[in-house]
Amino acid sequence: MTSFAAKVFGRVERLCQHLPVALNTFLVFSITGEVSYLVLVEAPLEADQKKTVWSSWWKMVHLLAQYFMLGNICWNALLFLKTSPSIRGVFLGGDGLGQGWRYCYTCETHTPPRCSHCYDCKVCVLRRDHHCVFFGQCVGFRNYRYFLSCLLFMWSGLLYATLMNAEVFIVILKEGVTVHSVLLLLIPWIMLVSGQVSARAFAFAFIADTCVVGFLLVSAFFFFHLFLLFRGQTTREWYSSRRPYSLGLLGNLRHTLGIRWYLCWLSPLIPSPVPGDGIHFEVTGSLEPSR
């Protein structure tokens, strides 16, 4: 009985770990689909413009922009999940041992100063920033570029979607700020269940609300991590107000995003290797080679 309960608990735990990823995927594609509908069907608003050449070019540009952002979000997220941030495969012994090193009794190995054990991932993570509950994986030295790029395109995509959904808010509030319109914006689920609105009105209101709330949350995450990137800090180091590993603005960009830091934002397919001393710096805290 105990073995059966353990198996059930293990399956439920694995399901809960993948649930945030599935929910985020559903929301991203739902927002993209709704914005595509707004572009193709609802816009432009003027009837005499709907069949003009300008309208066709306008729609094409909007569709290209939004699917460029969607592609970057999905590809960066996939690479983030596939890139292990753990210390597996990193040589941590020899002359690198020094001040600030600790011994992890769980992993049974010495770990450098910026490395810490994650009890969710069950492994030590090199330059661990935090465990991202939305992806179910730690953010560390190896996958930070993909995490930050994904945040960038999520932020720009949600900004774009919020602006495109401005017309939805205008339509809802067209007859004034009434109790019905306010409740539709604040609690669309209850309005749908109670039969006060149609499924179509609910879908538009729910996605418009999701765009605004998501934009505010992602803005906070993105600009906070941009601030940490410029300062050469991790979230853990920010809590303690320490900056012992800052290499200056340009050095921090190169060390985190690679030598092509100015191009890697455009696509995860653009190679941007970290300078050869990157791993050495994370392990030893020094850019000087070991002797």
Side-chain angles (χ1 to χ4, degrees), residues 4-237:
F4 175 75
K7 290 181 179 179
V8 172
F9 179 78
R11 291 181 179 179
V12 172
E13 184 181 19
R14 285 193 295 272
L15 178 63
C16 292
Q17 288 176 348
H18 292 93
L19 190 61
V21 178
L23 179 60
N24 287 332
T25 303
F26 171 75
L27 290 176
V28 167
F29 280 92
S30 296
I31 292 172
T32 303
E34 188 257 2
V35 174
S36 297
Y37 175 83
L38 291 177
V39 171
L40 292 172
V41 179
E42 299 293 335
L45 298 177
E46 299 298 331
D48 58 342
Q49 295 179 347
K50 287 185 179 291
K51 296 183 179 180
T52 62
V53 176
W54 179 87
S55 174
S56 300
W57 277 100
W58 184 90
K59 291 179 179 180
M60 185 179 69
V61 170
H62 275 270
L63 290 176
L64 286 175
Q66 71 182 65
Y67 283 102
F68 172 74
M69 290 184 284
L70 175 65
N72 271 285
I73 291 172
C74 295
W75 199 247
N76 278 295
L78 181 62
L79 289 176
F80 172 81
L81 293 172
K82 290 182 65 177
T83 305
S84 173
S86 72
I87 59 173
R88 296 190 182 106
V90 179
F91 178 68
L92 298 175
D95 298 332
L97 292 172
Q99 185 177 5
W101 282 63
R102 295 182 296 271
Y103 186 82
C104 178
Y105 290 93
T106 305
C107 296
E108 298 181 344
T109 184
H110 290 91
T111 59
R114 304 182 91 182
C115 182
S116 64
H117 188 85
C118 176
Y119 291 95
D120 293 305
C121 298
K122 299 179 176 60
V123 72
C124 285
V125 176
L126 191 64
R127 201 189 73 185
R128 181 172 180 263
D129 188 274
H130 69 283
H131 183 86
C132 181
V133 295
F134 298 105
F135 286 110
Q137 180 168 285
C138 271
V139 179
F141 174 69
R142 292 177 172 178
N143 60 6
Y144 195 84
R145 168 196 169 177
Y146 305 122
F147 171 76
L148 199 62
S149 295
C150 189
L151 278 182
L152 167 66
F153 283 102
M154 287 179 67
W155 176 80
S156 57
L158 285 168
L159 174 61
Y160 170 79
T162 301
L163 294 175
M164 290 298 295
N165 275 280
E167 185 64 28
V168 174
F169 292 106
I170 293 173
V171 170
I172 293 175
L173 300 174
K174 180 173 60 177
E175 297 179 358
V177 182
T178 62
V179 175
H180 182 274
S181 61
V182 171
L183 292 179
L184 177 57
L185 290 174
L186 296 179
I187 47 175
W189 281 101
I190 295 180
M191 296 292 285
L192 176 67
V193 172
S194 61
Q196 298 296 316
V197 296
S198 64
R200 184 176 185 273
F202 160 76
F204 278 112
F206 175 73
I207 293 179
D209 289 347
T210 303
C211 290
V212 174
V213 175
F215 173 71
L216 295 176
L217 290 176
V218 172
S219 294
F221 280 119
F222 175 61
F223 287 109
F224 174 67
H225 279 282
L226 208 59
F227 168 76
L228 294 180
L229 170 64
F230 293 159
R231 290 169 59 90
Q233 285 181 306
T234 64
T235 301
R236 293 164 56 85
E237 292 165 355

